């Protein structure tokens, strides 16, 4: 990070004095460095930036070489349309980044497929499978560079997405399939969940419900709810991978979440903190992958996070205080925000801003870092480590209040569970009552869901829509044949609705005719597309596709935290290490002399 810091400071000084290092006397006619001029400049700048002369001279040469290369690349691009791209390579690739100061470049035309560039990078640097990231977006392999915003001198982040060491013997084709499958399966699983509305039995058909910070369900338009569930699902998967230190794969999932959040309305994004937390997690991955040279994208994401927190929590977090009664637990989010802002400020060469942000971080850290003795006392009372940590933060370290806080939270959760159990009991009772009246379990469940449990209204809906299933003793039911369908077609009804009406009425033409007349010849798409009921059972049999869906759903549900405040339960170990690193770097600025 020190290299980025000193270069940023020197670039500001060069800009102020309008010094162009790519021109004489700093660069000769052969594009080589003017050593004497650079040394004199380094001696003048060293006390200003508080680094040694040798460090400043090395940084000036790096800036000069980059400028010369960029100028040469610009001329080449104008003359031949061959662009120069800077590659931010993984830190642990084969023969890669042994010299962290070395920059890696690639020349290519921009009208080629991304896959061609990926193949070249893989061959040159020994990667088996990679993804390319530009400004926080994953480039599509089957599209051209210029179609996705890649320009001359663009910086692209290279993510190595290979299998773990123990699976290296698997063929490359299988590796690619497995890597892509992770994202595809995650998306499919959450797509299935996003389509479920909770009308089925939750015991056999799990579904997701969007709730507020008190656990109360939120009513959201279907299209936005679907995008939000996919976004939150990818985010949960990414967080799960981050906990296992799989930052490459985690970043891929987090960027997918960011794409889905982009499909939600701005009003929705500004009312929930999930979007802000996602931005923090993406930049945290950049840090872990040592890719913070993606400054523009990182800075924008942190600004989005800060703006979103302001919208959600209020100017002085008054909204959060009103909802939860305290703000201590959410302070860990601001600690990480300020820490990343401090890091980016340092890399940009703004030491004053970096120190200011770091002071805020240290103040929060001293308050949020749990006291080990108090943690032990709470855990000896039977509370979990998570409960102890979160409650001490919520109560500003007060042991007695923390114990009461945990007890109150447990009681609130139990009351919530009891409300859910009571809701389930009423639902089952309503279904049972409607089944006794001759309706199928599925139709009864859907009607009750639509009326929020009101049995009378559900009964009215079932009657009006003529959706009751046939009695289980289907002896009198006739098969739907072409003759019955032809009779309805002769009356002017469409084939699809005619067949559906006959299925619903067991092949009775008169009843089907009356049903269509009552509904003006129209039926809901669900009724038109539904298959005829099985003669052996009231409910349709489970297909192999539904079994696959169930497997996908169970797979993605494993990555969803069972605790609503899991994202706040941060041990601060990684943050502590970064704080120490930042203090070390910032202290150099005040101790360096010529």
């Amino acid at each position: 990070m020190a290299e980025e810091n000193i270069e940023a400071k020197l670039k500001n000084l060069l800009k102020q004095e309008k010094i162009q290092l790519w021109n004489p006397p700093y660069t000769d006619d052969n594009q080589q460095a003017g050593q004497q001029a650079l040394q004199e400049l380094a001696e003048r700048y060293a006390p200003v930036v508080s680094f040694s002369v040798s460090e400043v001279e090395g940084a000036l040469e790096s800036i000069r070489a980059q400028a010369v290369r960029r100028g040469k690349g610009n001329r080449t691009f104008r003359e031949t349309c061959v662009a120069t791209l800077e590659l931010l390579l993984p830190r642990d690739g084969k023969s890669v980044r042994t010299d962290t100061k070395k920059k890696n470049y690639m020349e290519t035309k921009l009208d080629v497929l991304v896959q061609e560039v990926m193949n070249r990078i893989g061959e040159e640097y020994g990667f088996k499978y990679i993804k390319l990231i530009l400004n926080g977006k994953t480039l599509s392999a089957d599209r051209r560079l210029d179609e996705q915003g890649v320009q001359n001198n663009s910086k692209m982040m290279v993510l190595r997405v290979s299998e773990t060491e123990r699976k290296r013997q698997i063929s490359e084709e299988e590796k690619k399939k497995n890597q892509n499958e992770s994202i595809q399966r995650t998306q499919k699983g959450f797509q299935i969940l996003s389509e479920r509305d909770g009308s089925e039995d939750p015991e056999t058909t799990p579904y997701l419900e969007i709730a507020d910070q008190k656990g109360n369900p939120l009513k959201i338009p279907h299209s936005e709810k679907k995008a939000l569930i996919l976004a939150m699902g990818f985010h949960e998967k990414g967080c799960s991978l981050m906990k296992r230190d799989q930052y490459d794969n985690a970043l891929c999932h987090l960027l997918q979440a960011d794409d889905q959040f982009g499909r939600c309305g701005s009003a929705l994004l500004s009312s929930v903190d999930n979007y802000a937390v996602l931005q923090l997690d993406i930049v945290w991955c950049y840090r872990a992958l040592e890719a913070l040279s993606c400054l523009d994208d990182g800075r924008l994401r942190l600004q989005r996070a800060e703006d979103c927190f302001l919208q959600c929590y209020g100017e002085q977090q008054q909204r959060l205080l009103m909802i939860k009664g305290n703000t201590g637990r959410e302070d860990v989010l601001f600690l990480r925000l300020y820490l990343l802002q401090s890091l980016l400020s340092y890399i940009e060469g703004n030491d004053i801003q970096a120190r200011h942000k770091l002071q805020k971080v240290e103040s929060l850290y001293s308050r949020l870092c749990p006291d080990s003795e108090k943690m032990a006392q709470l855990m000896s009372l039977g509370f979990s480590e998570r409960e102890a940590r979160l409650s001490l933060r919520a109560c500003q370290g007060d042991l007695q209040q923390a114990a009461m806080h945990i007890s109150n939270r447990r009681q609130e959760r139990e009351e919530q569970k009891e409300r859910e159990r009571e809701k389930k009991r009423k639902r089952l009772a309503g279904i049972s009552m409607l089944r006794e009246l001759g309706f199928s379990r599925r139709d009864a469940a859907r009607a009750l869901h639509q009326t929020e449990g009101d049995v009378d209204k559900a009964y009215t809906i079932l009657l009006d829509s003529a959706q009751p299933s046939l009695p289980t003793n289907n002896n009198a039911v006739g098969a739907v044949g072409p003759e019955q369908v032809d009779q309805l077609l002769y009356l002017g009804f469409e084939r699809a609705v005619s067949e559906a009406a006959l299925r619903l009425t067991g092949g009775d033409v008169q009843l089907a005719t009356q049903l269509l007349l009552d509904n003006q010849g129209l039926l809901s798409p669900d009724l038109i597309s539904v298959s005829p009921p099985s003669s052996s059972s009231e409910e349709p049999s489970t297909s192999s596709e539904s079994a696959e869906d169930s497997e996908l759903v169970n797979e993605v549900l494993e990555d969803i935290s069972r605790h609503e405040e899991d994202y706040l339960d941060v041990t601060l170990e990684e943050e502590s290490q970064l704080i120490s690193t930042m203090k070390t770097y910032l202290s150099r600025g005040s101790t360096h002399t010529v």
Side-chain angles (χ1 to χ4, degrees):
M1 289 191 296
E3 291 80 12
E4 289 90 345
N5 174 262
I6 187 173
E7 286 189 15
K9 291 177 178 176
L10 291 173
K11 286 176 182 178
N12 286 332
L13 291 172
L14 293 169
K15 186 176 180 180
Q16 290 171 14
E17 298 186 16
K18 299 181 179 179
I19 294 176
Q20 299 176 335
L21 294 181
W22 57 91
N23 288 328
Y26 308 103
T27 299
D28 60 25
D29 294 338
N30 297 321
Q31 305 299 308
Q32 299 300 310
Q35 296 294 345
Q36 184 175 351
L38 281 179
Q39 185 173 0
E40 291 174 357
L41 192 61
E43 290 173 351
R44 186 156 63 88
Y45 281 168
V48 179
V49 297
S50 299
F51 281 86
S52 68
V53 173
S54 61
E55 288 176 307
V56 173
E57 188 173 359
L60 286 171
E61 169 56 20
S62 176
I63 295 171
R64 187 201 70 82
Q66 290 177 48
V68 170
R69 184 184 294 106
R70 181 180 285 261
K72 181 182 177 182
N74 289 340
R75 286 194 298 274
T76 300
F77 183 67
R78 286 195 299 269
E79 296 168 2
T80 65
C81 294
V82 174
T84 300
L85 307 178
E86 183 177 342
L87 305 178
L88 308 174
L89 297 172
R91 57 185 174 179
D92 55 351
K94 176 183 176 183
S95 302
V96 174
R97 291 178 70 168
T98 53
D99 179 4
T100 56
K101 297 181 182 179
K102 180 182 177 182
K103 295 183 181 294
N104 298 276
Y105 298 90
M106 170 173 284
E107 292 186 347
T108 178
K109 289 197 171 184
L110 298 179
D111 58 356
V112 300
L113 294 178
V114 171
Q115 185 63 57
E116 293 183 33
V117 177
M118 291 167 62
N119 292 340
R120 286 180 56 192
I121 295 173
E123 291 173 6
E124 184 171 349
Y125 297 104
F127 299 132
K128 293 187 176 180
Y129 184 57
I130 61 174
K131 288 183 182 293
L132 298 182
I133 309 295
L134 176 70
N135 297 327
K137 301 293 183 183
T138 302
L139 299 183
S140 299
D142 57 353
R143 294 179 60 199
R144 296 181 355 179
L145 291 169
D146 53 5
E147 292 175 342
Q148 302 182 72
V150 180
Q151 302 174 349
N152 184 38
N153 296 316
S154 286
K155 289 184 179 181
M156 293 197 305
M157 182 180 176
V158 180
L159 283 185
R160 187 167 59 88
V161 192
S162 61
E163 292 294 285
T164 56
E165 293 291 330
R166 61 187 174 84
K167 293 184 178 179
R168 282 189 174 179
Q169 64 272 25
I170 303 176
S171 69
E172 183 176 346
E173 289 301 317
E174 289 180 347
K175 286 185 180 181
K176 287 186 178 183
K177 181 180 178 182
N178 292 339
Q179 292 290 350
N180 289 330
E181 219 175 63
S182 175
I183 289 180
Q184 291 172 359
R185 290 179 68 85
T186 299
Q187 179 157 353
K188 180 69 181 298
F190 281 108
Q191 277 179 338
I192 294 169
L193 286 167
S194 69
E195 295 291 348
R196 294 178 177 175
D197 59 7
S199 62
E200 306 290 340
D201 185 356
E203 296 293 330
T204 58
T205 312
Y207 73 101
L208 295 179
E209 193 169 54
I210 308 296
D212 62 17
Q213 293 171 320
K214 284 287 189 180
N216 301 312
L218 294 175
K219 292 187 177 181
I220 302 172
H222 177 70
S223 59
E224 285 197 82
K225 180 181 179 182
K226 183 177 179 179
L228 188 57
I229 286 178
L230 283 169
M232 294 171 70
F234 273 117
H235 192 184
E236 289 281 357
K237 179 69 174 181
C239 290
S240 175
L241 292 166
M242 286 174 68
K243 289 178 181 178
R244 301 196 289 270
D245 293 333
Q246 297 178 19
Y247 289 102
D248 281 357
N249 204 3
L251 182 57
C252 293
H253 285 80
L254 295 178
L255 293 175
Q256 289 284 339
D258 190 55
D259 180 61
Q260 291 295 333
F261 267 121
R263 304 180 188 188
C264 300
S266 57
L268 179 61
L269 292 185
S270 63
S271 63
V272 295
D273 63 2
N274 305 71
Y275 184 62
V277 176
L278 173 65
Q279 303 309 309
L280 288 183
D281 287 339
I282 289 175
V283 182
W284 195 254
C285 278
Y286 286 169
R287 174 207 62 84
L289 295 169
E290 297 182 4
L292 280 171
S293 49
C294 300
L295 269 179
D296 291 339
D297 188 58
R299 190 189 307 109
L300 287 173
R301 290 188 184 280
L302 293 182
Q303 188 60 54
R304 283 184 213 144
E306 191 165 21
D307 293 343
C308 188
F309 282 138
L310 182 64
Q311 289 284 338
C312 294
Y313 298 158
E315 191 76 38
Q316 301 295 326
Q317 301 186 37
Q318 67 269 21
R319 294 196 192 105
L320 183 64
L321 190 64
M322 182 174 64
I323 293 171
K324 289 194 171 182
N326 61 77
T327 62
R329 288 162 296 186
E330 280 72 16
D331 280 341
V332 296
L333 301 176
F334 288 95
L335 184 149
R336 182 168 283 190
L337 172 66
Y338 298 149
L339 183 55
L340 289 170
Q341 287 176 335
S342 175
L343 178 61
L344 289 185
S345 295
Y346 177 75
I347 292 174
E348 290 176 318
N350 191 341
D351 289 9
I352 295 176
Q353 180 71 5
R355 288 192 181 94
H356 172 68
K357 291 292 183 181
L358 192 60
Q359 287 174 356
K360 299 176 75 170
V361 170
E362 291 185 283
S363 175
L364 284 171
Y365 181 81
S366 62
R367 184 152 46 87
L368 297 174
C369 191
D371 184 291
S372 57
E373 291 186 7
K374 292 179 179 179
M375 287 275 294
Q377 290 184 56
L378 287 172
M379 292 170 67
S380 68
L381 297 174
F383 301 135
S384 68
E385 181 180 347
R386 185 205 304 270
E387 288 176 318
R389 184 162 39 242
L390 290 174
S391 64
L392 284 171
R393 288 173 182 167
C395 301
Q396 310 295 321
D398 188 299
L399 187 64
Q400 186 174 1
Q401 288 187 16
M404 292 177 61
H405 180 269
I406 296 175
S407 299
N408 291 337
R409 290 289 293 158
R410 285 188 171 185
Q411 184 177 349
E412 288 174 5
R413 290 193 191 96
E414 188 55 42
E415 289 174 353
Q416 178 69 22
K417 289 179 181 178
E418 180 56 37
R419 287 194 294 270
E420 291 173 358
R421 287 193 289 266
E422 180 61 25
K423 181 179 178 181
K424 181 180 178 181
R425 283 194 291 268
K426 289 183 177 179
R427 177 179 179 277
L428 292 175
I431 291 174
S432 178
M433 185 180 300
L434 291 172
R435 289 189 68 184
E436 290 177 1
L437 296 174
F439 300 99
S440 74
R441 178 184 180 86
R442 173 174 295 179
D443 293 338
R446 287 178 175 173
L448 283 169
H449 178 76
Q450 187 177 345
T451 61
E452 298 182 351
D454 190 309
V455 178
D456 292 336
K457 290 182 180 178
Y459 179 69
T460 302
I461 287 176
L462 290 169
L463 286 177
D464 291 343
S465 61
Q467 292 187 32
S469 295
L470 302 173
T472 53
N473 55 341
N474 287 328
N475 299 329
V477 176
V480 178
E483 294 181 0
Q484 292 102 314
V485 175
D486 288 341
Q487 291 181 56
L488 292 180
L489 292 176
Y490 180 77
L491 295 175
F493 300 114
E494 294 181 359
R495 178 175 294 276
V497 294
S498 298
E499 291 175 346
L502 287 167
R503 284 199 303 269
L504 290 169
T505 57
D508 191 310
V509 177
Q510 287 187 334
L511 288 177
T513 303
Q514 188 61 48
L515 172 62
L516 292 173
L517 289 172
D518 290 343
N519 290 275
Q520 299 181 349
L522 300 173
L523 292 177
S524 73
D526 289 338
L527 292 177
I528 295 174
S529 61
V530 74
S531 300
S534 168
S535 60
S536 59
S537 171
E538 184 186 60
E539 300 295 339
S541 59
T542 303
S543 65
S544 58
E545 184 179 357
S546 65
E548 182 184 353
D549 289 352
S550 179
E551 180 183 347
L552 284 170
V553 168
N554 291 333
E555 184 178 303
V556 298
L557 287 176
E558 289 178 2
D559 290 310
I560 297 180
S561 171
R562 297 298 183 265
H563 195 285
E564 70 275 13
E565 292 180 329
D566 181 70
Y567 71 107
L568 300 175
D569 184 31
V570 182
T571 63
L572 297 181
E573 292 177 3
E574 288 185 275
E575 286 77 2
S576 176
Q577 293 174 5
L578 186 53
I579 289 170
S580 299
T581 301
M582 288 298 302
K583 291 174 69 175
T584 300
Y585 278 119
L586 287 170
S587 66
R588 296 182 65 192
S590 58
T591 58
H592 261 293
T593 59
V594 179

